[in-house]
Amino acid sequence: MRLRILLLFTLFYCKSMLFSQTTVSNPSKSDFSGTLSFLASDWLEGRGATQKGGFMASEYIASMMGLYQLVPFQKDTASGYFQDFKILEHSVKNVSLEIKKGKKIIALSPETDFKVTPIAQSIQKEAQIVFVGYGINLSKEGYDDYKNQDVKNKVVVVLKGFPGHLDSTSVTYQKFKKIFPEENDLEETKLQTAINKGAIALVILDSKGKFKPNNSKEDAVFHSLENASNTSIPVFKLTKTASEKLLSETTISLNNIEKKLAQKNAGTSTLFKNTKINFSLELQSQTFPVRNVLGMIPGKDTTKTVIIGAHYDHLGIKNDSIYNGADDNASGTSGMLALAKKWSESKVKPPFNLLFASWTAEELGLLGSEYFVQNFDFQKQKILLAINMDMISRNAPEDQTHRILSIGTPKENENLKEIATLSNSKLAKPFTLDLWETDGHSGSDYASFTAKGIPIMTFFSGFHDDYHTPRDKASKVDLDKVKDVLFIVNTSLLKFIENQHN
Ligand SMILES: [Zn+2]
């Protein structure tokens, strides 16, 4: 009897030990440094998703997956590790934008008065316009520019920035800067809000006169999945002069509206009864093949999967410069491969599938992960968790000690926050964690999963001045940091597995 108890005890003990750190060791520098340098080398030409470099990178990643004996995700087809699909690139062929005030028509000129962001299909419309302050809806913070305003089938006109953005000492600045530290994120949020509210176009006004359409660096192309039902709407950015033309004869003056709104600290909206906008957008589209690279370690229960993912594409070659994308995201990709190597070497059969994923076309709008999610058979399989690593090798300029790590999780997944904190505490020199909530954000591939309600953890080492420039090179990465990030990712993964079992 005693022996039996002892045996049982030993069995339980072993079971919990099975998934502790001793069984799957953490990657060391040599597990990822060479991969990182190679992916970020000039040989791979910046890994543009639709370019030669992107395809070379995909072949390399697949060959490493083969070396680590991962099972091809599509093992019954000739594609093996590759999930091939097509994307479309849309650019503007013709655009017109007219403001109609009663019988008066003011025609604005592209490249002089405004710039337009293309969408997936040509469009021609005339509609009433509604001014909705900064176009921000934060009900939880008690701020809503759309309050009591129906913008369905109307053109939404907003100011650039957020309340108080011109005065960094104001209370409103402090409040909104915390919520929207990144300007790109803010614009994306404004666009999504306008789409959700049923608007047919978004017009952004510049009150400072900074915006010049013809030297704006934004891409004049828009990418979408082939056959995707696309819900995006065009975004028109107006210069100060054009903004004034739009607001002429209305109750809003560009000169003092920003000051007013900074003091008001509440949303505002006005329907312009006598002003309409007429716009047309004619597009041309081109098709490109792209591919995700996917390899698995099958689990005991093959109906459940945990994804360890990182996008491998970057900006490729632009204007004869190679955008190497060492941090963004050779770092995450090499980290993913290093974890695949360690799990494969350990010979541990995980309780459920581990899918090592390298997404393409993240830089073109999260298209690789989006395609994956759209074509995943959720009837047959459940995704328990999607881990995302995007830019894990640098330090923000203000992070002098190089010990800040940002980990995003959805609001409702309190357990993942705990796992992250616990894993970090096991490091010899723990990071100062920036734990943030991904709700309402779409900065990387995790958003394709949160959109489906899948729990995620996303790892990011901090913004730097080399972001999306040709200076994001392998010589600048912090390999010690990558190693520690991978320690946390692996420890979190093991802990998550252990928790599922208990
Ligand atoms: Zn990027």
Side-chain angles (χ1 to χ4, degrees), residues 238-361:
L238 271 54
T239 60
K240 186 177 183 196
T241 316
S243 302
E244 278 163 350
K245 283 180 189 167
L246 179 78
L247 293 178
S248 70
E249 297 165 37
T250 71
T251 50
I252 289 156
S253 144
L254 206 54
N255 280 329
N256 55 33
I257 182 75
E258 300 235 46
K259 244 187 211 147
K260 265 196 206 164
L261 293 179
Q263 283 158 9
K264 194 178 167 202
N265 191 15
T268 191
S269 68
T270 312
L271 171 72
F272 295 159
K273 292 213 173 71
N274 298 316
T275 310
K276 279 187 174 177
I277 274 184
N278 186 313
F279 67 89
S280 74
L281 195 56
E282 193 190 334
L283 296 155
Q284 51 198 2
S285 305
Q286 216 186 329
T287 307
F288 291 97
V290 292
R291 49 168 51 155
N292 290 326
V293 195
L294 310 167
M296 301 215 307
I297 296 180
K300 288 174 192 147
D301 177 353
T302 54
T303 66
K304 291 177 183 152
T305 297
V306 170
I307 297 175
I308 299 100
H311 77 88
Y312 71 89
D313 69 302
H314 191 54
L315 305 174
I317 297 179
K318 291 205 289 188
N319 304 322
D320 211 27
S321 288
I322 298 177
Y323 285 65
N324 301 89
D327 185 38
D328 185 8
N329 185 26
S331 67
T333 308
S334 64
M336 179 277 293
L337 285 174
L339 290 165
K341 175 176 187 277
K342 288 305 188 194
W343 274 84
S344 167
E345 284 170 359
S346 76
K347 303 276 187 274
V348 167
K349 193 165 178 77
F352 24 75
N353 303 328
L354 297 183
L355 172 61
F356 294 91
S358 225
W359 313 119
T360 187

Side-chain angles (χ1 to χ4, degrees), residues 160-172:
K160 202 173 143 71
F162 51 73
H165 72 120
L166 299 177
D167 176 8
S168 58
T169 61
S170 66
V171 182
T172 38

Side-chain angles (χ1 to χ4, degrees), residues 57-109:
S58 75
E59 294 287 347
Y60 171 73
I61 294 162
S63 68
M64 289 304 108
M65 287 183 172
L67 177 67
Y68 304 149
Q69 301 181 51
L70 302 191
V71 175
F73 180 66
Q74 312 194 93
K75 57 179 183 299
D76 304 326
T77 74
S79 338
Y81 294 114
F82 300 120
Q83 184 177 42
D84 287 292
F85 58 103
K86 292 204 169 74
I87 62 171
L88 298 173
E89 182 178 285
H90 315 275
S91 56
V92 177
K93 201 170 163 196
N94 278 306
V95 58
S96 76
L97 180 61
E98 287 175 351
I99 307 163
K100 290 185 161 182
K101 294 188 183 273
K103 280 185 181 154
K104 195 163 81 185
I105 295 175
I106 308 163
L108 300 179
S109 321

Side-chain angles (χ1 to χ4, degrees), residues 314 328 362-363 467-468:
H314 191 54
D328 185 8
E362 189 271 351
E363 305 285 9
Y467 170 72
H468 282 202

Side-chain angles (χ1 to χ4, degrees), residues 189-200:
T189 308
K190 287 184 187 189
L191 175 60
Q192 278 311 321
T193 309
I195 293 169
N196 294 341
K197 299 275 180 186
I200 54 164

